[in-house]
Amino acid sequence: MEKSNKIIIIGGGYAGLRTIEYLAKNKQNQIILFDKNPYHYMQTEVYDLIANEEDFAQVTLDLYTFCMGFDENVVFYKQEVTSVDFDNKKVITQTQRYSYDYLVIAVGSRTKFMPSIKGLEYAYGVKSLHRAMYFKQKFEMSLFNKVHEGGTHAKPLNIIVAGAGLSGVEIVAQMASYSREFYNNNNFICRTLNIVLVNSAKNILKGMDEKLVQKSKKRLRELGVLVKNERKVVGLDGVSVSLSDGEVLPMDFMIFAGGIEPNTLVYKLKLEKNSRGFIETNEFLQVKKYDEVFAIGDCTTIYNDGKVVPATADVSEQMAEFCAKNIENLVLDKELQAYKIASRGVLIALGRNYAASKLFGLYFNGYLAYIVKKIVERVYAKRLDRVAKRGCEKIFKS
């Protein structure tokens, strides 16, 4: 009888689920997935959630039924991992210790709320679902309150987004287009909107393709978004935001997308990390000192020709594929495969029915790019949903 391979995956994000899809094909792999939440959050679609184009059900996947959809060799435990004993190959949760032969750390990242910025408790992040849902409600209530004020002297709605990376740009574009469409469609007089994107760099979308940057800048101007480059948020008090150049902006609410940091577990793990606190890995995605342990997704940093590869869902899935292959190579005592990861394309959502994209070296923008982005998102969701439906059928039959 062949020996089974005990594989533990920590984190039910893009990287974790893709790893399961590959490894579950081998029935000798007995896989446990741990996550403190019972759902997978499709964060790439948060801009649609905020603007009511999608609801809670469309941006989440139930991890219980997903894991049940495989051939009895995958199980999900809704437990928070508190530490890992790497020397004895034990994953420790709040309730139990679990042994592993191979471990995949895929816990992702979170919004970095910098302690040096006073008043960040008044800001919202969107990397976690509960924060995104809370902000969505606040956004809708702000629109309603401005409508309720009415009259020609209604105060403007002041929206501030701090951070002009991909998340910040997509969210500010979606809010701008949604808000203006909302006012126009309902013929409300109170159409005054002040939407500001605060960016610490010289340009938005730092590190991204220059043509996409220019297309995005043009679109933001068309939407009436005011971009303030080379400035930082230094404080806020619930009604205003103070910038590093001394300017004070009125604020109804603010999204903080000014950076990311590893999730809490990473700080507790006794592993080598880089200067930003992310797990160090080798060319095979293994952590230092422990060949049977891999780190993938946003909790680690990888490089392409010496340059940091931006953390995206596409990159996370590619990392998962290399990770799964190398675990199989370890099992079979084969040579490991060094990762070769590059973006397969970029699709930037820039408001309702509009996107900018670069796919296979070709640039296009507008409604066509938007449709392509929605197709990519739907294909991803359908792939996971097919597995989850099999899991539902098994549960109903049992």
Side-chain angles (χ1 to χ4, degrees):
M1 183 177 178
E2 290 186 69
K3 177 182 176 293
S4 63
N5 310 302
K6 295 180 182 177
I7 302 171
I8 290 180
I9 297 172
I10 308 173
Y14 291 96
L17 297 197
R18 191 61 169 161
T19 307
I20 291 173
E21 288 181 295
Y22 270 78
L23 291 176
K25 297 172 185 177
N26 181 353
K27 294 183 180 180
Q28 294 303 120
N29 294 333
Q30 297 298 314
I31 303 166
I32 299 175
L33 171 65
F34 286 107
D35 199 292
K36 65 181 180 181
N37 297 310
Y39 52 78
H40 166 58
Y41 170 38
M42 300 175 202
Q43 192 198 325
T44 56
E45 299 178 55
V46 66
Y47 57 89
D48 275 347
L49 175 70
I50 289 170
N52 281 319
E53 290 193 12
E54 292 186 349
D55 58 31
F56 170 84
Q58 291 172 292
V59 298
T60 56
L61 173 81
D62 181 66
L63 291 176
Y64 287 105
T65 53
F66 175 77
C67 290
M68 281 289 290
F70 296 96
D71 294 329
E72 312 299 333
N73 62 333
V74 182
V75 63
F76 169 66
Y77 292 139
K78 182 182 174 295
Q79 295 180 28
E80 184 172 2
V81 173
T82 56
S83 63
V84 178
D85 181 348
F86 295 104
D87 293 327
N88 294 300
K89 297 184 181 181
K90 301 281 186 183
V91 166
I92 302 162
T93 73
Q94 295 171 321
T95 59
Q96 201 170 334
R97 298 167 68 92
Y98 298 84
S99 299
Y100 65 81
D101 296 313
Y102 304 96
L103 174 65
V104 180
I105 303 169
V107 293
S109 61
R110 63 185 181 185
T111 301
K112 186 175 183 178
F113 287 95
M114 302 170 188
S116 59
I117 302 176
K118 296 180 180 180
L120 268 186
E121 64 269 18
Y122 295 107
Y124 302 89
V126 293
K127 282 192 73 66
S128 64
L129 182 59
H130 76 278
R131 285 183 178 274
M133 291 294 291
Y134 189 65
F135 170 73
K136 169 185 166 72
Q137 294 170 0
K138 175 71 173 177
F139 178 47
E140 290 175 347
M141 283 305 300
S142 295
L143 288 175
F144 171 76
N145 289 337
K146 294 304 173 186
V147 170
H148 188 66
E149 286 175 8
T152 57
H153 301 292
K155 295 178 181 178
L157 177 62
N158 298 294
I159 301 171
I160 313 291
V161 176
L166 187 58
S167 294
V169 168
E170 288 192 326
I171 290 168
V172 78
Q174 188 72 341
M175 285 194 299
S177 61
Y178 173 73
S179 301
R180 294 178 192 284
E181 184 177 305
F182 175 83
Y183 286 145
N184 290 335
N185 287 349
N186 292 282
N187 296 310
F188 291 123
I189 297 173
C190 50
R191 295 176 184 145
T192 308
L193 283 167
N194 295 326
I195 304 178
V196 180
L197 179 62
V198 181
N199 177 31
S200 62
K202 290 184 178 181
N203 219 335
I204 65 171
L205 299 170
K206 183 179 179 181
M208 296 194 73
D209 183 275
E210 183 60 27
K211 287 187 178 181
L212 291 180
V213 171
Q214 293 305 319
K215 288 178 184 291
S216 300
K217 287 172 64 176
K218 182 175 182 291
R219 173 62 173 169
L220 293 182
R221 284 196 298 269
E222 291 170 351
L223 290 171
V225 175
L226 177 61
V227 180
K228 292 183 177 288
N229 291 321
E230 298 185 90
R231 273 162 278 194
K232 296 181 180 180
V233 170
V234 296
L236 54 157
D237 60 11
V239 295
S240 65
V241 175
S242 299
L243 303 185
S244 54
D245 63 350
E247 185 177 8
V248 178
L249 303 173
M251 176 196 79
D252 283 283
F253 54 83
M254 186 183 93
I255 287 182
F256 189 77
I260 61 172
E261 64 179 349
N263 271 318
T264 306
L265 176 64
V266 172
Y267 290 104
K268 299 177 182 177
L269 299 179
K270 295 178 180 179
L271 296 172
E272 288 190 37
K273 296 156 193 169
N274 63 21
S275 59
R276 296 175 59 219
F278 293 87
I279 298 171
E280 289 273 20
T281 56
N282 62 17
E283 69 271 29
F284 309 118
L285 300 175
Q286 296 164 301
V287 306
K288 305 293 178 66
K289 288 176 59 178
Y290 302 101
D291 290 347
E292 71 282 356
V293 181
F294 295 77
I296 58 175
D298 293 1
C299 66
T300 186
T301 304
I302 61 170
Y303 302 86
N304 187 7
D305 296 327
K307 295 182 180 179
V308 173
V309 179
T312 65
D314 171 41
V315 168
S316 291
E317 290 207 318
Q318 290 184 64
M319 293 172 75
E321 292 164 16
F322 276 98
C323 171
K325 290 173 185 175
N326 279 333
I327 288 176
E328 291 289 4
N329 287 337
L330 283 177
V331 170
L332 299 172
D333 199 26
K334 290 184 176 181
E335 185 177 348
L336 300 187
Q337 186 174 356
Y339 70 77
K340 294 179 181 178
I341 294 174
S343 175
R344 292 180 285 204
V346 179
L347 288 156
I348 305 172
L350 293 169
R352 292 198 157 194
N353 299 327
Y354 195 102
S357 66
K358 178 185 179 183
L359 291 175
F360 308 110
L362 299 175
Y363 297 90
F364 51 103
N365 60 288
Y367 186 65
L368 175 59
Y370 169 82
I371 291 298
V372 172
K373 182 170 176 62
K374 299 311 293 182
I375 290 172
V376 170
E377 291 170 351
R378 292 281 73 79
V379 167
Y380 173 79
K382 286 291 184 183
R383 191 185 83 214
L384 300 185
D385 193 50
R386 281 195 297 269
V387 180
K389 283 183 176 179
R390 288 198 299 269
C392 278
E393 290 170 1
K394 287 167 68 174
I395 292 170
F396 288 137
K397 289 178 181 177
S398 62

